[in-house]
């Protein structure tokens, strides 16, 4: 699958283009995605459906990674980032986010926790 930081770069690219068609290949089949204010999303296809819906209503998406920290064993990644986008005729700029990822032995995401 690749290096955790490379997986993040692929995710970031998918988010910025709002095209998550290849997302299931980055996540384990039973991956867990958690974030504030929403129920857990379990499974790569449900995660894909949720993120397709989330990013589908946004235009001109820009993501800037401020800090990327990889676990010494290569099985975890923490990213501090901001997102900017246009939605419903309004521009939202530099909204702070943090994401924590765990990876399996094949380099697929098994766990994602997002904070806003």
């Amino acid at each position: 699958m690749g290096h955790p930081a490379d997986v993040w770069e692929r995710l970031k690219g998918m988010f910025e283009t709002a095209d998550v068609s290849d997302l299931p290949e980055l996540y384990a089949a039973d991956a867990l995605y958690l974030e504030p204010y929403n129920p857990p999303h379990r499974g790569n296809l449900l995660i894909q459906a949720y993120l397709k819906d989330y990013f589908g209503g946004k235009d001109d998406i820009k993501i800037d990674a401020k800090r990327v920290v990889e676990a010494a064993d290569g099985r975890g990644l923490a990213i501090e980032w901001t997102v900017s986008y246009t939605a419903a005729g309004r521009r939202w700029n530099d909204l702070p986010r943090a994401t924590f990822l765990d990876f399996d032995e094949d380099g697929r995401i098994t766990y994602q926790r997002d904070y806003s």
Side-chain angles (χ1 to χ4, degrees), residues 1-38:
M1 180 59 46
H3 193 271
D6 295 336
V7 173
W8 163 251
E9 286 299 318
R10 286 190 64 195
L11 274 177
K12 178 180 173 260
M14 289 180 194
F15 295 166
E16 287 182 327
T17 61
D19 179 3
V20 295
S21 56
D22 292 335
L23 188 133
E25 71 185 53
L26 299 181
Y27 287 81
D30 64 345
L32 177 63
Y33 177 93
L34 302 169
E35 63 171 347
Y37 317 115
N38 282 310

Side-chain angles (χ1 to χ4, degrees), residues 28-78:
D30 64 345
L32 177 63
Y33 177 93
L34 302 169
E35 63 171 347
Y37 317 115
N38 282 310
H41 306 285
R42 170 74 72 179
N44 59 357
L45 297 178
L46 289 176
I47 294 167
Q48 177 190 33
Y50 169 71
L51 292 173
K52 180 180 179 182
D53 182 61
Y54 178 80
F55 285 107
K58 296 169 177 55
D59 295 309
D60 193 23
I61 302 166
K62 176 83 169 107
I63 294 174
D64 290 311
K66 304 299 184 184
R67 182 176 302 166
V68 178
V69 179
E70 186 174 339
D73 65 1
R75 302 277 301 262
L77 193 69

